[in-house]
Amino acid sequence: MACLGVFVAYLPVTSVSVSLTAIQSALSTTTSQLAWVSDAFVLPMAAFILTAGVFGDVHGRRKVFLAGLLLSAAGAATSLTAHSIGQLWTGQALSGLGAAALLPTTLALISHAVPDHRERGKFIGIWAMCLLGALAVGGVLAGTIISSVSWRWIFLVPLPVALVAVVIALRALPESRAPRAGRLDWPGQITAALAITALVYGVIEGGAGSFGDPQVVAALAVAVVSGALFAVVERRSAHPMLDLALFRSPGFTATALVAMIMFLGMIGFFFVLSLYFGMVQRLDTLGTAWRLLVITGAALVVSGVAGRVMHRLSPRLMITTGLLMMTAAMLTLLGADAGTSFGSLSWRLLLLGLGMGLVTTPMTATAVASVPHPLAGMAAAGNNAFRQVGGALGPAVLSALLTSRAVSSLPGHLADAGVDGALAGRVTDATRDSGLGAVGSLALGPQAGQVFGAVGDAFLDGMRLCLIVSAGLTFLAAVLAFVLLHPGVGRNRSTRVAGEPAAARVPEPARPREADEVGEVGEADEVGTGASA
């Protein structure tokens, strides 16, 4: 049931990513509106994942699991019937809330069902493979569907799977709670949700228009004030959603920063890459899906191997090496253009996926192993929350950079292509107002080929800027991982947070050095801290 739940949660991610071009064409959206299609899913997940874990600990994991499945089904149904961008955002937001409920709860279910931590590690490995498997097959399913029917039908797939899972869970899934669960931290939850939502909104709208616009300034001000209030509330709370003492641990601080920076660059890059395949290479959704499958498939294979060798290799070495591989892959993509073949792209995408797989598993395990045992579940959930914040900001930041650079370079490319006069003015005005996708709705006449060629060249200018920024972010994450993570971090579960009284530590029974670190993520669930992947 845990594997089925996480599969439902992550199935929409790549299916939507590979369908962005089709969605933009069908709904005539701007680039910033298109960025909200991804962010409408990620934002609720980032904002509510900690609360969902605690709620399951207090009120029952089965209830939260069922709620997550029903929200995912409701989101899929809403998106399936969407005829406006607003309705699609609503459906994605409901699916994101469902994913926020399912991610921590599915790991907690495994923890309850498999008490032995060594045996549990095997099942959590299968859980992680189902998560990555959803990413791998979602795009291919979406491509196959769109090649035959409307893009809306990509949302049909998770609907029956979620409903079947609900029926099975009602009959077969036992209820469980954490033995020492805390209480819900509503002030922390409200201030965190406000800060995250306002920050992403401000970045998206500021990139699409101007950061001097009153609504953008107001949104960013709300983000700053809410973030400060969150810190004050969590410091004073008896049951904090995110204990700020975690940040006294260099290992947790490093992995939180690395997770956020890496996903900011990575998810934003995926957003740009999907548009490149659709707008520049003129691939259909299935062609885009096969290319992204190279990345997710490689990550799926390597993450399984990484989970088995974490006790032999330094997490710092694995994380730093993986991030450097991702940086190198992005830099090699700078030479890609409209005519770059699949064969030429495949080894670069493969390198990117290998790096992703090498980073993902040890990053969470290191966050957990770097803090005292009672805080391990909160550390895992906090690490995932920072990851999702970076993932929400990624499309916002990179879509703003992409649009700004492409629109500024388009007049020069139109002139080089021999397009001038009134037609060049109409094309330039349309892209400035509504993004590059607006060109497809214009009557271009006999010069359509030259216009689309110029638009493709302008897009490549924007994509190269995004690649440089994404590569810079992953390289920064690699430097932070190498500097902040000492060689032994992630191997000693008894490490205490700097400044924590020794009496606050909870003794643990000794266990062999080769204990599976992946299993420890689930082990913390029974402590009652709302652990997440």
Side-chain angles (χ1 to χ4, degrees):
M1 291 307 298
C3 290
L4 194 58
V6 79
F7 186 86
V8 169
Y10 265 78
L11 191 60
V13 175
T14 47
S15 62
V16 170
S17 293
V18 301
S19 308
L20 289 174
T21 304
I23 293 171
Q24 185 175 41
S25 175
L27 299 180
S28 301
T29 65
T30 66
T31 305
S32 63
Q33 288 176 326
L34 201 63
W36 273 110
V37 174
S38 299
D39 281 334
F41 177 87
V42 177
L43 263 178
M45 185 160 55
F48 294 101
I49 196 167
L50 286 166
T51 295
V54 177
F55 199 92
D57 289 341
V58 175
H59 297 290
R61 282 88 174 248
R62 179 175 178 265
K63 293 185 182 70
V64 178
F65 180 79
L66 289 168
L69 290 172
L70 290 172
L71 283 167
S72 296
T78 303
S79 299
L80 178 63
T81 57
H83 285 82
S84 68
I85 192 65
Q87 186 177 345
L88 182 58
W89 291 340
T90 303
Q92 284 284 87
L94 289 171
S95 296
L97 286 172
L102 288 170
L103 276 177
T105 309
T106 49
L107 272 178
L109 291 176
I110 294 176
S111 176
H112 177 74
V114 189
D116 180 70
H117 72 87
R118 292 184 61 82
E119 181 71 9
R120 187 187 309 139
K122 177 174 67 178
F123 289 97
I124 290 178
I126 298 171
W127 175 93
M129 292 184 69
C130 287
L131 186 156
L132 289 170
L135 296 179
V137 304
V140 176
L141 284 174
T144 304
I145 290 169
I146 291 180
S147 64
S148 304
V149 291
S150 166
W151 61 270
R152 294 177 184 85
W153 292 99
I154 65 174
F155 296 102
L156 177 65
V157 180
L159 188 56
V161 179
L163 294 177
V164 168
V166 167
V167 173
I168 298 173
L170 286 171
R171 290 176 172 271
L173 191 64
E175 185 61 278
S176 67
R177 294 176 177 83
R180 295 188 296 277
R183 293 197 300 265
L184 290 177
D185 176 20
W186 287 113
Q189 174 56 67
I190 293 169
T191 52
L194 273 175
I196 294 169
T197 304
L199 176 62
V200 176
Y201 174 84
V203 171
I204 289 180
E205 296 303 315
S210 168
F211 282 96
D213 291 344
Q215 70 269 24
V216 174
V217 173
L220 295 177
V222 169
V224 171
V225 172
S226 299
L229 286 174
F230 174 78
V232 172
V233 165
E234 295 305 278
R235 184 176 293 277
R236 296 181 177 180
S237 174
H239 300 279
M241 185 174 70
L242 184 66
D243 193 336
L244 299 184
L246 291 172
F247 292 98
R248 297 174 188 165
S249 163
F252 176 80
T253 302
T255 53
L257 287 173
V258 167
M260 186 167 65
I261 294 170
M262 169 190 160
F263 270 69
L264 195 159
M266 194 66 233
I267 303 301
F269 167 71
F270 268 22
F271 176 81
V272 173
L273 189 64
S274 297
L275 293 179
Y276 160 73
F277 288 136
M279 294 181 63
V280 178
Q281 291 209 325
R282 299 289 174 184
L283 297 175
D284 58 15
T285 306
L286 187 57
T288 299
W290 282 119
R291 283 153 179 78
L292 293 183
L293 183 61
V294 175
I295 303 174
T296 54
L300 174 64
V301 173
V302 174
S303 67
V305 176
R308 291 194 291 270
V309 302
M310 277 192 301
H311 61 281
R312 300 190 188 98
L313 298 177
S314 163
R316 180 175 77 163
L317 175 64
M318 296 174 68
I319 293 171
T320 303
T321 301
L323 289 167
L324 291 175
M325 291 169 66
M326 293 170 62
T327 302
M330 291 178 186
L331 292 176
T332 62
L333 285 165
L334 285 171
D337 56 26
T340 304
S341 67
F342 186 16
S344 179
L345 285 173
S346 59
W347 69 268
R348 310 174 201 192
L349 301 179
L350 180 65
L351 181 63
L352 186 63
L354 294 175
M356 281 181 60
L358 201 58
V359 170
T360 305
T361 304
M363 188 161 57
T364 297
T366 300
V368 172
S370 300
V371 301
H373 182 76
L375 297 178
M378 186 183 291
N383 182 269
N384 195 62
F386 275 96
R387 187 183 308 171
Q388 300 303 336
V389 170
L393 285 173
V397 172
L398 292 193
S399 69
L401 290 174
L402 173 69
T403 301
S404 175
R405 179 71 181 97
V407 169
S408 66
S409 67
L410 181 58
H413 289 297
L414 288 171
D416 293 341
V419 179
D420 53 19
L423 179 58
R426 283 195 296 118
V427 171
T428 303
D429 290 343
T431 56
R432 186 177 295 112
D433 294 339
S434 304
L436 296 175
V439 176
S441 62
L442 298 177
L444 302 175
Q447 289 188 295
Q450 293 99 306
V451 171
F452 284 123
V455 169
D457 290 338
F459 183 97
L460 288 172
D461 289 341
M463 186 181 81
R464 289 177 185 124
L465 175 60
C466 292
L467 281 169
I468 292 171
V469 171
S470 293
L473 288 168
T474 52
F475 182 74
L476 173 61
V479 171
L480 288 173
F482 185 80
V483 172
L484 297 178
L485 295 175
H486 61 78
V489 72
R491 295 185 177 189
N492 183 10
R493 184 62 179 273
S494 64
T495 303
R496 66 185 175 97
V497 173
E500 179 203 16
R505 297 169 62 187
V506 177
E508 298 182 73
R511 61 190 188 217
R513 178 180 178 85
E514 65 271 17
D516 190 340
E517 297 281 18
V518 177
E520 295 176 353
V521 176
E523 181 181 3
D525 280 339
E526 287 302 302
V527 177
T529 48
S532 174

